[in-house]
Amino acid sequence: MSLNRDRADTAFTFKGGMLPMTVMELASGDPERIRAQLAGKVSQAPAFFQHTPVVLSVEQIDEPHLALERICAVCRAHKLLPVAVRGGSDPVKQSAWALGLGWFPPQEIRPRAVEMRPAESRLVEASVEAEAELPVPEAAAHAGGRIHRGTVRSGQQISASEGDLVVIGAVNPGAEVLAAGSVHVYGPLRGRALAGIHGDREAGIFCHDLNAELLSVAGTYKRLEDIDPKMLGCSVQVRLKEDQLRISALT
Amino acid sequence: MAKIIVVTSGKGGVGKTTSAAAIATGLALRGNKTVVIDFDVGLRNLDLIMGCERRVVYDLVNVIQGEAGLKQAMIRDKRSENLHILPASQTRDKDALTLEGVEKVLMDLSEEFDYIICDSPAGIERGAQLALYFADEAVVVTNPEVSSVRDSDRILGLLSSKSRRAEQGREPIKEHLLVTRYNPNRVDDGDMLNLDDIREILAIDLVGLIPESEAVLRASNQGVPVIHDDKSDAGQAYADTVSRLMGEDVPLRFQSVQKRGLIARMFGGGGRR
């Protein structure tokens, strides 16, 4: 048997992939309440509800049994396609499988308070979120981003799982800053910066004094040695254009 | 209440134990009741640097496990009656230390002493984390080379997140930078990082600059903390460091190349001035 099989022989290949996915974090298991809220959201952001795949997260619901079938029906009625369930008790897992949905273990609980976003604001994009009535935690910017003040040191990782990350200070070698949106560093960038970690190709990286170990926008990256030496030490912006990272000076 | 100062670095071999011994001795010579604790369980070195290796009976692990009292384990320094040494165990490993045990030892010592100096092991694992956990201040020892600076940066991250002060949301640990093995000639040649580069990356206050000196190795091998060698450049630089730790404002020395006279060059003199 040859390791290099002819392509025509294989009907498929398995590949790992990271796809952007909306998580619908349920605070209530009551299908009627979900229906009422969804109806309001559809009128605010109709573009979002176009057979959008969603993962139903039931980690916040402390009930052993859920009307999962009815919740799914409500979602489908509003053009959301539940593809999997995250968290919940064993019976919830069993009924997810029975409904042909995948099941993910609960997300690791991270101690960073800023990442613990209110249930609702994960649901829809910035347009809707901006007027969310829930209190935004301190140090989080309006669009669900995050502001970090002070030096990010080697071994530290600062991330904004939604929106932009703003660092007021230096990002040192061996440190990592990540954001679903753009990364802004008001100081020297000497570590790794990753913008658009959920696939946002419009995101960018902005910094004073570029000396980054790695720059990445939506998975396209440049290492320090790939960066034009003329740009090192400059104030720059990094954008994704035609599948290439473009670094240009901020004047 | 004693002030607890951890001497730490992340990287090994940069001069933590030498600095802990010199700083503890310097504080004691200024009349402060001081104890220096070796946290490097399994790789005990402080007793050698302090020249008390022949007088070790009990150690920190014995005290934590209740096999000996603090008074039995502490060794009084031969040269300064204000100074005590609490050695580490050579036969155990870092798992023998418990958070509660370390806390009790530090609380008991706190009542009697003005300063408690914790000599941290290298690394960022349990031993190093226990050494820094209860600290009020930290002396981060850094050599003028990139790997040392990066490891110091990592330790500074731990100081601001994994200490008791951080966990309780109290005023953060006061961080001091101590640059050791600094050789102005090699800085000028571009072989070593210069002081400004180190300070720019680590962004903390400089408490001392210790020049690379033959006096340090000589002192280690003789078991006499280098600060006793007050003719040597390194000894004087540590004395300045101790003054700054005690809050005095002392000008920085040994940063630029020293012009040595003909006599000094002929007779060598191991960095003595």
Side-chain angles (χ1 to χ4, degrees):
Chain A
M1 280 247 295
S2 165
L3 282 173
N4 301 314
R5 286 216 229 147
D6 199 322
R7 264 223 144 146
D9 282 358
T10 52
F12 63 84
T13 50
F14 279 117
K15 284 192 172 170
M18 300 273 280
L19 302 172
M21 186 69 80
T22 303
V23 177
M24 189 170 169
E25 193 126 9
L26 298 179
S28 157
D30 179 357
E32 287 314 307
R33 284 185 59 193
I34 296 170
R35 181 195 303 278
Q37 200 177 332
L38 274 175
K41 295 287 179 196
V42 172
S43 59
Q44 288 168 352
F48 183 73
F49 297 90
Q50 297 287 338
H51 304 291
T52 310
V54 294
V55 175
L56 299 174
S57 168
V58 298
E59 290 162 67
Q60 295 186 9
I61 306 175
D62 203 17
E63 286 168 38
H65 296 278
L66 286 170
L68 211 50
E69 197 170 354
R70 286 180 61 203
I71 295 173
C72 288
V74 167
C75 289
R76 291 201 189 95
H78 291 86
K79 290 194 178 170
L80 293 179
L81 286 181
V83 293
V85 173
R86 188 170 74 189
S89 63
D90 208 44
V92 170
K93 178 167 40 171
Q94 297 298 339
S95 54
W97 287 341
L99 288 165
L101 299 175
W103 185 84
F104 292 109
Q107 204 176 22
E108 268 180 64
I109 295 165
R110 297 190 205 159
R112 293 181 209 134
V114 272
E115 292 189 356
M116 308 284 273
R117 300 305 318 283
E120 189 186 33
S121 52
R122 279 226 175 109
L123 183 60
V124 187
E125 281 140 344
S127 59
V128 182
E129 246 187 75
E131 40 135 65
E133 60 286 294
L134 291 153
V136 177
E138 208 185 351
H142 285 296
R146 179 170 182 190
I147 299 177
H148 176 89
R149 288 171 209 277
T151 306
V152 186
R153 299 195 179 276
S154 180
Q156 290 181 329
Q157 192 184 51
I158 304 289
S159 66
S161 53
E162 302 170 53
D164 290 2
L165 174 68
V166 178
V167 175
I168 301 169
V171 176
N172 275 352
E176 198 166 75
V177 288
L178 314 97
S182 297
V183 174
H184 310 256
V185 180
Y186 294 94
L189 173 54
R190 309 179 182 114
R192 301 158 71 95
L194 294 88
I197 52 173
H198 300 321
D200 181 357
R201 300 170 62 85
E202 297 302 310
I205 299 168
F206 308 86
C207 69
H208 294 322
D209 196 349
L210 175 72
N211 264 300
E213 293 172 328
L214 184 89
L215 296 166
S216 163
V217 176
T220 302
Y221 65 86
K222 265 191 161 112
R223 300 164 302 170
L224 182 53
E225 65 173 36
D226 307 325
I227 299 173
D228 180 359
K230 282 199 300 266
M231 288 295 168
L232 297 179
C234 300
S235 291
V236 300
Q237 61 168 323
V238 182
R239 307 301 299 259
L240 192 55
K241 267 196 195 136
E242 291 149 12
D243 283 333
Q244 289 269 322
L245 282 194
R246 295 289 161 86
I247 305 175
S248 53
L250 285 170
T251 43
Chain B
M1 280 293 280
K3 197 175 266 183
I4 302 175
I5 303 179
V6 61
V7 179
T8 185
S9 70
K11 189 168 158 54
V14 297
K16 278 183 300 297
T17 301
T18 299
S19 298
I23 289 170
T25 303
L27 287 167
L29 291 175
R30 299 286 199 91
N32 301 293
K33 282 213 75 180
T34 306
V35 56
V36 55
I37 308 176
D38 191 350
F39 273 82
D40 204 349
V41 178
L43 291 170
R44 184 172 85 198
N45 275 172
L46 181 69
D47 54 325
L48 294 169
I49 307 286
M50 298 294 301
C52 64
E53 72 277 11
R54 297 176 186 202
R55 292 191 287 148
V56 175
V57 182
Y58 295 108
D59 55 53
L60 178 61
V61 173
N62 294 134
V63 175
I64 284 179
Q65 301 195 336
E67 297 153 6
L70 263 177
K71 290 264 183 292
Q72 287 172 290
M74 277 195 297
I75 303 169
R76 172 179 282 195
D77 186 65
K78 276 182 291 200
R79 299 172 195 89
S80 166
E81 63 172 31
N82 283 324
L83 181 59
H84 285 75
I85 298 118
L86 185 52
S89 171
Q90 182 69 358
T91 52
R92 311 294 283 271
D93 61 36
K94 270 118 189 144
D95 295 333
L97 298 177
T98 62
L99 193 68
E100 297 74 28
V102 171
E103 180 175 25
K104 176 148 194 336
V105 168
L106 292 176
M107 289 310 111
D108 291 350
L109 290 172
S110 243
E111 287 167 19
E112 193 184 339
F113 289 92
D114 301 319
Y115 285 96
I116 301 172
I117 309 297
C118 301
D119 179 23
S120 171
I124 53 171
E125 287 80 24
R126 185 178 171 78
Q129 294 202 8
L130 280 173
L132 68 80
Y133 187 76
F134 296 100
D136 300 309
E137 299 190 15
V139 173
V140 178
V141 183
T142 306
N143 285 173
E145 53 164 305
V146 283
S147 55
S148 175
V149 172
R150 179 178 294 189
D151 291 359
S152 293
D153 198 40
R154 184 85 166 91
I155 275 289
L156 285 165
L158 292 184
L159 285 166
S160 62
S161 61
K162 293 281 171 67
S163 64
R164 183 166 65 168
R165 280 174 174 266
E167 286 176 4
Q168 293 179 346
R170 287 158 61 200
E171 195 185 330
I173 293 178
K174 201 164 161 191
E175 300 154 340
H176 307 279
L177 173 64
L178 178 63
V179 176
T180 56
R181 295 226 173 112
Y182 196 76
N183 183 332
N185 284 310
R186 303 192 64 188
V187 171
D188 288 352
D189 293 345
D191 295 346
M192 278 187 178
L193 289 181
N194 77 40
L195 186 62
D196 293 336
D197 292 342
I198 301 170
R199 295 179 74 174
E200 198 199 315
I201 290 185
L202 296 181
I204 56 172
D205 285 340
L206 182 73
V207 76
L209 178 70
I210 314 299
E212 189 168 50
S213 168
E214 292 161 30
V216 172
L217 184 62
R218 184 169 57 223
S220 301
N221 286 329
Q222 289 174 350
V224 182
V226 70
I227 198 166
H228 282 297
D229 187 355
D230 55 12
K231 300 276 195 310
S232 70
D233 46 2
Q236 292 171 13
Y238 273 118
D240 290 356
T241 303
V242 169
S243 300
R244 292 189 199 102
L245 271 179
M246 291 177 67
E248 293 166 29
D249 193 9
V250 185
L252 194 64
R253 295 193 275 175
F254 312 110
Q255 192 184 350
S256 47
V257 181
Q258 305 284 323
K259 292 265 188 315
R260 288 166 77 191
L262 181 65
I263 310 277
R265 268 186 283 158
M266 281 171 67
F267 292 99
R272 288 166 197 262
R273 299 194 322 144

